[in-house]
Amino acid sequence: MLEWREFPYNLTVKIHNDIDGMRAALAQAAQALYTATPNPRVGCVIVRDGDLLAEGHTQPTGFAHAEAHALQHAKQQGIDVRGATVYVSLEPCSHHGRTPPCADALITAGVARVVVAVEDPNPLVAGQGLARLRAAGIQVELGVLADEAREMNRGFLHRMQHGRPWVRMKIAASLDGGTALQNGESQWITSTQARDDGHAWRARACAVLTGIGTVQQDNPQLNVRAVETPRQPRRIVVDSHLEISPQAKILQDAVGWIFTAVEGGARADELRAEGHELIVLPDDNGKVDLHALMKELGGREINELHVEAGFKLNGSLLRAGVVDELLLYLAPCLLGPAQGLARMPVLEHLSDRLAFRFHEVGQVGPDVRLRLMRSTP
C-alpha cells in the first residue's frame, strides 16, 4: 500500500477503506506544511462509494480550514456531498476563531460520516467538534492513522498541551561527535545533501533559534535557501548581554526577535530603530531564562522551533530540559579533539544521563540522519 507521503494528489484514486481515505487526507495536509502556521496542518477529503469527490487543506491564516476548503472545492465542481464520508486529519473545530466552525459546515453540508485521525487538544475544541457532529446524527470514527497525524502536527499539538513549542535541535557532527575543530572551523563537516535536508527542516519550522556565539563565530543567515519555500521562518537570537551587531547577517532583510537579559543602552536603541524586537527575560544568573523564553514563544503561537546553535547553547537548552527532538547528521569521518555536540556537566552516575530514543534512522547522501525523541520517565 502507498504511504501517505506518496499518495497521489488527484481525484482519480479509488478509496478502498478508511486507511486509504486518511492517507489521502494526510497527503493533503502535507501541502500545508510550510503555510499553515500558526494553525495546524490539516487535510480533508470527501468520498462517496470509493470515489474522491473533493479535497482541501489548511489555507494561510485567516482563510479556509481544510474542511471548508474541501467543501468549497465540491461546490465549485457542482458536487452534492450529502451522504458522503469525510476524512480529516484533525478534529473539526467547533468555535468561531478567524473562521467559522468547521463542524457546523459539515453538518450543514449533510455528510453522513466523519473519520478523524486525532482529537484537537486546543481547549476551544477538545472533543467538542466531535460531540457536535454526533449530536447532529453524523457517524464519527476517531483514531485512524493517529500516529501519522501527530507526526504532521507535533508542534501545534505540543503547544496546545504544554504551552510551548516543540523544540527540534539540529546538529551536524563527525562520528566521534565533533561539531567544530578546536579553532572553531566547522564548514563543512557534513555533505551538501545533508545541508539541503537541514534547510527543508528549517522551512517547516515557525522559527529558527541560535545563540550569540554562533552569530559571532559564523555570522550565519539561518534562512531557507536550499529548498523552495513560500515563507521564511522567524529568526531568533539568544544574546544575554546584547552583544549582537545590527549588521549581523541573521538580522538582514527580516525582523529579528532578540532574547536578552539586559535592559536599555545604545545597542538596544539601535536594534529597535532597525525594527528588531528585544525581549528581556533574565534569570538569577544574568542569563536568558530559557523556560520563560519557551513560554513566551508559545504565547506568540510558535509551533515548531528549529535550533541551530553552538555547543554552549545546545548544552544549556538540553540541561534546561526544553529539547524535545534531536535532528542529528553524522558524517563518516573522525575529527579527534574537537568541540562536541553540547557542553554538558560531568556526571557521577549513569542514571543521571539525558536519555533519548531513536525515532527514525536514514541516509542522506553519504551521511546518516538520526531523529531522536526525548525519553520521558
Side-chain angles (χ1 to χ4, degrees):
M1 279 199 175
L2 290 170
E3 293 296 329
W4 66 262
R5 296 174 181 82
E6 303 168 336
F7 209 94
Y9 296 110
N10 62 68
L11 300 181
T12 63
V13 177
K14 201 75 173 175
I15 301 298
H16 297 99
N17 49 49
D18 286 348
I19 298 295
D20 282 354
M22 193 57 71
R23 281 186 175 134
L26 284 166
Q28 279 296 306
Q31 297 196 61
L33 192 64
Y34 304 142
T35 56
T37 185
N39 292 328
R41 302 139 177 163
V42 183
C44 177
V45 295
I46 304 174
V47 177
R48 183 189 290 120
D49 298 326
D51 294 324
L52 271 167
L53 304 180
E55 56 193 2
H57 59 272
T58 307
Q59 299 301 291
T61 302
F63 294 93
H65 289 185
E67 302 93 322
H69 191 221
L71 291 171
Q72 289 171 4
H73 183 198
K75 185 176 181 180
Q76 290 167 359
Q77 303 299 314
I79 297 172
D80 186 348
V81 300
R82 284 177 294 182
T85 293
V86 173
Y87 294 92
V88 60
S89 57
L90 186 70
E91 176 185 3
C93 64
S94 55
H95 64 291
H96 283 270
R98 300 180 181 98
T99 59
C102 292
D104 289 356
L106 293 173
I107 293 168
T108 301
V111 302
R113 183 169 178 258
V114 177
V115 181
V116 178
V118 291
E119 188 175 296
D120 187 344
N122 184 342
L124 297 173
V125 185
Q128 296 177 63
L130 302 180
R132 189 172 295 188
L133 293 171
R134 290 186 175 113
I138 296 173
Q139 181 183 350
V140 175
E141 306 288 343
L142 177 65
V144 177
L145 295 186
D147 288 343
E148 290 84 345
R150 292 189 188 98
E151 176 76 17
M152 177 69 68
N153 281 305
R154 282 191 181 276
F156 176 82
L157 298 175
H158 192 266
R159 178 168 67 85
M160 288 295 116
Q161 293 168 325
H162 303 286
R164 67 170 182 84
W166 177 267
V167 180
R168 180 181 293 113
M169 178 179 286
K170 179 257 184 180
I171 303 174
S174 62
L175 289 177
D176 52 349
T179 59
L181 300 180
Q182 290 185 335
N183 64 10
E185 183 181 347
S186 63
Q187 297 180 343
W188 300 103
I189 294 172
T190 52
S191 64
T192 300
Q193 296 97 315
R195 296 196 296 277
D196 290 353
D197 190 71
H199 275 244
W201 286 96
R202 275 185 199 173
R204 67 172 282 165
C206 302
V208 178
L209 178 144
T210 195
I212 185 60
T214 298
V215 172
Q216 292 176 331
Q217 178 72 39
D218 299 331
N219 197 20
Q221 297 179 66
L222 287 185
N223 57 1
V224 180
R225 302 181 302 279
V227 298
E228 290 188 12
T229 180
R231 62 156 182 89
Q232 289 290 340
R234 173 76 63 177
R235 277 164 272 178
I236 301 171
V237 180
V238 177
D239 182 7
S240 293
H241 304 298
L242 206 56
E243 301 170 275
I244 192 167
S245 166
Q247 283 71 52
K249 289 181 180 179
I250 196 171
L251 299 182
Q252 305 311 304
D253 303 319
V255 173
W257 290 349
I258 303 167
F259 284 84
T260 184
V262 298
E263 295 271 7
R267 178 66 54 86
D269 293 341
E270 187 177 2
L271 290 164
R272 289 192 179 102
E274 293 290 331
H276 306 297
E277 185 175 357
L278 276 59
I279 304 99
V280 183
L281 293 175
D283 64 11
D284 294 337
N285 300 311
K287 300 286 188 180
V288 171
D289 185 324
L290 297 177
H291 289 281
L293 181 155
M294 294 303 168
K295 286 294 184 182
E296 178 71 19
L297 294 182
R300 294 176 179 230
E301 298 187 309
I302 299 297
N303 293 332
E304 288 185 20
L305 180 66
H306 181 91
V307 175
E308 292 195 34
F311 73 110
K312 293 180 182 179
L313 182 54
N314 283 352
S316 296
L317 291 165
L318 288 164
R319 291 194 303 274
V322 297
V323 178
D324 303 293
E325 177 181 348
L326 293 179
L327 177 64
L328 181 58
Y329 297 88
L330 290 180
C333 66
L334 301 172
L335 295 185
Q339 295 180 15
L341 304 177
R343 177 182 282 177
M344 301 294 288
V346 175
L347 301 181
E348 295 184 1
H349 305 285
L350 281 174
S351 59
D352 295 330
R353 63 191 172 185
L354 187 59
F356 286 80
R357 58 181 173 81
F358 287 104
H359 178 70
E360 186 179 85
V361 178
Q363 188 162 354
V364 180
D367 306 313
V368 172
R369 184 185 71 192
L370 306 175
R371 290 182 64 205
L372 303 101
M373 305 300 181
R374 185 176 62 175
S375 295
T376 53

